[in-house]
Structure formats: structure tokens, C-alpha cells
Amino acid sequence: MKVGVLGAGQLARMVALAGIPLGLEFIFLDPSKDAGANRLGEALTGDYYDPELLAQLAERADVVTYEFENVPAPVAEFLASHTQVHPAPKALAVAQDRLVEKTFFNDIGIATPQYAAVNSLAELQQVMTTIAYPAILKSRTQGYDGKGQSVLRSADDLSAAWDVLQGVPAIVEVFVPFDREISIVAVRSVSGDIAFYPVAENVHRGGILRVSTALDNDPMQATAENYATRLLEALDYVGVLALELFEVNGTLLVNEFAPRVHNSGHWTIEGAETSQFENHCRAIANLPLGATSLVGYSAMVNFIGGLPDTNALLALPHTHLHLYDKEPRTGRKVAHVTVRADSAAQLAKLLPPIIAMADQVDDS
Ligand code: AMP
């Protein structure tokens, strides 16, 4: 079976590295001929809108998936009318627009931070008489890793924050004084079987994920699974998705979901019986799902903006390095490391030097 992937970056690469041993073949479409996944299959190089390349992808792939959620809707629909596409275009449409997404969550019984749609400075000023400060103004679309966002601390901030958005439709959300950020990665098969990974605790800085730690028997696991099930079933979803959550006073609020394999699930390559990448392949290829149970105690550290001495990294015990084949650039994820330890105490000891190495090369 041939899997087509929109995008050939690190996520596509880790999907292919997991799918090839299952007998899957890959074809990628990416604007860059040097994209990291290209050497793992056939490479189509060009624009995501290029009708010729899309036709080739649809023709040659038995199933198409994607490594990013901002796939233009006409592209996803064109592909879905010519071949199988997992997850279906509806999941993209919901994930691409924060207002549609939050409304969808609330409609299916998933709690979110209080929010309101905003289309002008006057509307923002009006809405902020009903939402408490601090709050966050976010563009509805095209936002990721904290891009297109401003914190509103008082009415004095409104005009400048609105200018940053340059008139694009937005939502404003109450700033949640969360105790922790966690995420759950879940997978659903064509026949509707669902599996969940143990939740991960995530540390962000500047809106970008830095460290994810897999948690055994977390008290929030059951609620996170309940939310993920509602979403997977409401979207008739096939493949892996990730739900990002805020824990506040023992309750969970959903921030957003990613209709794809997710950075907070990279630890599953070494730290789970079956990785998120393998389970995504299994799901979209209509194969049985693999077990998601923990193997050891794992955490993942992102390397952003630069790489340390990789020999020094690999010399550390229980350390697994994943390079993405990307030129270092400020704010760009270029590699991650997973540490898989024998105990939580050992993990706590091994992690700080690796985080220090990541901080040293990070200029964002
Ligand atoms: P996002 O782009 O929505 O995933 O936001 C990136 C990060 O900004 C999140 O992981 C949080 O750390 C922070 N953040 C976003 N929205 C909120 C919120 N409503 N309250 C508190 N922190 C937030």
C-alpha cells in the first residue's frame, strides 16, 4: 500500500520510518526538494496548490495523510474526491479555525476557556467589558506555536494588540491560570477502535513546546480520554490526533487539537509499546491498532534554533537522538531527544543536563 503525505518534514519522516517496516511505501509532496522525509520515498516537489502534483499524488497514493493542519480546504477536498484521505477534510476545517474549533468542542460537551469572536477594535473593546483581564487575543486561522497572539492585561493594550492582527478575524480568550499543561494523543481505526496514550505533561516557553514527560496513572487520564473519545467519534476520525489541555483546580479545559501526529507524542517512539507514528500508519492503512502502554519512564526535550554537540548528547545514558535534517534557524525545531529511564527518580536525574544543553543553543 502506498501512503501519500502532504508535507515531508520531521513528522512525515517519523511516520515513514514507522510505516516502512509494516510494508508501506510513501510518496511526499513538499515545496522543498531537501525536505527531510524525501529520501524515504518518492518526492513530488512543488506548491501544495499545484493541480498537476496533486493529481499525481491522488493517482499514486492509496491513502493520503498530512503532517500539518493548515492544508488548504480545496486541496483536501480535491484529494478526498480522488482517493482515501485520513483524517477526513472535516477535521482540518475544524482545527484550522479557532472559533469553529472551540464552538465544536463546546457543542460536544468539551469544556474550553471562555472565548468570544472579534472582528474589529470596537468589538474587542465591547467584548472586553464581559471577559476578565488578563486575556489573549489570537488570530482565528494560521496561528501555531503562539504566533499571531497578544496578551491583554488592561484596556490600554487593546488598540496595539488589534493592530498586530492587521484586521484578520480573531478570538479573545480568558487567560487560564493553569496549574499544568497536559496533552493526550489518541488514535482511532477505520473500524472505530480507539486507543489512548498516557497523558504527557508539557512545558512551553514563548508558545513553543520545550519538554514533554509521559505520566503513569495521571489523575486526569480518564477525563482526557473522555474528551478525546467525544472528538474522535464526532469527527468520525481515522488516525492519530492530539488534544492540548489546561489543568486548573482539578478540572480540564481544552486549548486546541492537532489532527495529526504531535510533538508531545514523540516520546512514544522509545517510551510506548507502539509509537504514535506506527499507530497512525496502522489506522490509515486499516490495520489493527498496536498497544499504547508505557515502556519505562520517558520524557522528550526539543532542540530549537540549534544543536549541541551530538556526541556529548549520545554519550549520556538512556538518550535517544532524532535529528530532523533541518538548517538551524531561530525558533525552528531541529531535533529532539527522548530519555527513557528505568524509574521516575532516574528520569528526574537524567533530564536537567539535557534541558540545559537545549537551553544553551536556543536563541529564541
Ligand atoms: P496555542 O497557539 O493556542 O497552542 O498557544 C500556545 C501556548 O500559549 C499554550 O500552550 C499556552 O502555554 C499558552 N496559552 C494559549 N492560550 C492560553 C490561555 N487561554 N490561557 C493561558 N495560556 C494560554
Side-chain angles (χ1 to χ4, degrees):
M1 177 182 260
K2 188 164 287 186
V3 177
V5 189
L6 280 180
Q10 71 264 23
L11 298 183
R13 186 152 111 142
M14 288 186 273
V15 167
L17 286 169
I20 290 167
L22 301 177
L24 301 178
E25 294 179 299
F26 288 85
I27 177 166
F28 307 97
L29 171 55
D30 192 284
S32 165
K33 75 171 174 19
D34 300 322
N38 277 346
R39 68 178 74 166
L40 297 172
E42 290 173 63
L44 299 172
T45 302
D47 196 90
Y48 294 121
Y49 273 114
D50 186 325
E52 192 116 322
L53 293 177
L54 287 172
Q56 281 188 48
L57 186 69
E59 159 83 16
R60 277 148 67 184
D62 301 297
V63 57
V64 171
T65 188
Y66 23 79
E67 67 162 1
F68 59 97
E69 54 269 47
N70 289 325
V71 176
V75 169
E77 272 145 30
F78 169 83
L79 291 168
S81 65
H82 288 80
T83 187
Q84 284 186 83
V85 173
H86 292 313
K90 163 92 177 168
L92 291 175
V94 174
Q96 278 172 5
D97 184 325
R98 292 184 194 276
L99 180 63
V100 175
E101 183 183 28
K102 288 212 161 54
T103 309
F104 193 83
F105 284 143
N106 288 172
D107 287 348
I108 60 172
I110 297 178
T112 62
Q114 186 195 357
Y115 66 92
V118 174
N119 295 303
S120 66
L121 176 58
E123 262 182 45
L124 178 60
Q125 285 161 337
Q126 165 59 31
V127 156
M128 286 313 295
T129 61
T130 61
I131 290 181
Y133 290 96
I136 305 193
L137 184 67
K138 301 180 176 179
S139 61
R140 276 173 57 175
T141 60
Q142 301 293 330
Y144 65 97
D145 283 350
K147 292 182 173 63
Q149 300 188 9
S150 304
V151 177
L152 310 173
R153 296 188 193 286
S154 76
D156 294 342
D157 293 340
L158 301 188
S159 172
W162 181 253
D163 286 347
V164 170
L165 289 178
Q166 298 182 323
V168 301
I171 65 168
V172 64
E173 294 173 20
V174 68
F175 188 92
V176 179
F178 54 78
D179 302 309
R180 301 189 290 167
E181 284 192 83
I182 63 172
S183 58
I184 186 162
V185 173
V187 57
R188 185 168 177 272
S189 70
V190 172
S191 55
D193 292 335
I194 296 178
F196 311 96
Y197 288 91
V199 298
E201 182 168 336
N202 303 320
V203 177
H204 293 82
R205 204 169 59 224
I208 306 181
L209 182 66
R210 308 281 154 169
V211 182
S212 278
T213 305
L215 302 174
D216 196 9
N217 286 321
D218 191 81
M220 290 295 131
Q221 182 76 29
T223 308
E225 289 187 7
N226 176 300
Y227 282 179
T229 304
R230 284 169 191 260
L231 185 60
L232 288 163
E233 291 183 342
L235 292 171
D236 195 16
Y237 193 93
V238 173
V240 161
L241 66 68
L243 260 185
E244 295 184 37
L245 304 140
F246 300 129
E247 180 182 339
V248 53
N249 298 328
T251 62
L252 281 187
L253 302 175
V254 172
N255 178 29
E256 62 181 358
F257 86 104
R260 54 173 168 77
V261 289
H262 193 250
N263 197 176
S264 71
H266 289 4
W267 61 268
T268 61
I269 295 175
E270 290 85 11
E273 184 77 28
T274 312
S275 76
Q276 64 164 345
F277 303 101
E278 180 174 339
N279 260 335
H280 187 65
C281 290
R282 288 182 183 225
I284 65 173
N286 199 8
L287 299 168
L289 299 181
T292 49
S293 40
L294 287 174
V295 178
Y297 295 78
S298 298
M300 181 229 54
V301 179
N302 272 336
F303 285 84
I304 297 162
L307 272 178
D309 173 357
T310 50
N311 273 1
L313 257 182
L314 290 170
L316 297 170
H318 302 285
T319 298
H320 304 271
L321 175 63
H322 298 259
L323 300 173
Y324 300 161
D325 237 351
K326 281 180 152 175
E327 283 302 314
R329 199 192 294 153
T330 300
R332 189 181 214 194
K333 295 168 186 165
V334 291
H336 79 262
V337 154
T338 297
V339 184
R340 186 186 60 203
D342 299 326
S343 66
Q346 188 188 37
L347 182 64
K349 228 157 111 190
L350 292 170
L351 217 44
I354 295 173
I355 294 174
M357 287 166 96
D359 284 346
Q360 231 166 31
V361 293
D362 183 356
D363 59 357
S364 59

